[in-house]
Amino acid sequence: MADFKVEPLCDERYFRLTTLPIDPQFQKLWDLYKKTKDIIGKLTDKTKLNDIIEELVESYGFEPDLISKNVSLPPLHKNSRKFVLADAVVWDSKEKQRPLIIIEIKDSKVLPSRDQLLESMKYSGAKFGIWYNGKTRITLGDQEGFIIEIPDIPS
């Protein structure tokens, strides 16, 4: 019985079954394409995050040393085991004890969703949250215990 191999055709969404061996040159090009695509995706996410951070510093007056990237926040309540991972956090003071704003950056293909941001705010105690995918921006705020969508972060 012949061995079947799955071989990509011009895009990772299309495949064909073949009994022919995969051309090593094609495989190298395909691997390079996938690595480049991953690198570009990570770079664009960093660019989106840097754009939001720059806006918070320049337009809203937050000090750059109050902003941390790639943060793991302990749970707000001691009996909870849920940690919050955030792409960036704006802290309420230099002691960095309590997050003021949580920032979540997503790929541009990801549809807007407030769920992860809402959960992150709830578990960390942050007053505001920003979700951004390069096209759509969702801003949430905690008003008297209710987290609602707001037009912008108050300055």
Side-chain angles (χ1 to χ4, degrees):
M1 184 169 188
D3 289 330
F4 287 93
K5 294 185 179 185
V6 176
E7 153 176 316
L9 290 175
C10 73
D11 189 346
E12 59 210 20
R13 293 174 291 179
Y14 303 101
F15 295 91
R16 105 181 132 178
L17 282 174
T18 179
T19 56
L20 302 173
I22 296 174
D23 179 19
Q25 195 68 14
F26 175 80
Q27 187 65 46
K28 286 180 184 176
L29 288 171
W30 179 252
D31 291 343
L32 180 62
Y33 163 76
K34 286 174 59 178
K35 286 179 186 174
T36 304
K37 187 176 172 190
D38 290 344
I39 290 169
I40 290 172
K42 289 176 184 172
L43 288 175
T44 55
D45 286 351
K46 285 182 182 179
T47 303
K48 288 180 234 175
L49 181 59
N50 289 337
D51 289 347
I52 293 287
I53 290 172
E54 184 178 314
E55 179 184 349
L56 289 170
V57 170
E58 292 180 5
S59 299
Y60 295 90
F62 288 104
E63 296 176 32
D65 58 336
L66 290 179
I67 302 173
S68 303
K69 293 181 185 179
N70 300 320
V71 180
S72 175
L73 297 165
L76 180 64
H77 305 289
K78 294 193 187 320
N79 58 355
S80 175
R81 295 184 190 177
K82 180 141 180 107
F83 277 75
V84 174
L85 300 175
D87 293 316
V89 169
V90 178
W91 300 96
D92 66 345
S93 67
K94 293 195 187 282
E95 288 78 38
K96 298 184 177 183
Q97 294 294 318
R98 184 179 166 102
L100 179 64
I101 304 170
I102 289 183
I103 302 163
E104 291 291 337
I105 302 295
K106 298 298 177 199
D107 186 81
S108 61
K109 296 175 188 168
V110 176
L111 295 175
S113 171
R114 341 170 339 151
D115 297 340
Q116 182 185 3
L117 183 59
L118 189 67
E119 188 174 305
S120 295
M121 288 176 64
K122 183 174 107 179
Y123 282 106
S124 69
K127 290 289 182 192
F128 302 99
I130 298 171
W131 183 98
Y132 184 60
N133 71 353
K135 297 177 184 174
T136 305
R137 180 174 167 165
I138 297 172
T139 306
L140 301 179
D142 184 340
Q143 294 187 347
E144 299 175 12
F146 295 98
I147 298 176
I148 60 169
E149 194 162 337
I150 57 177
D152 205 357
I153 301 286
S155 42

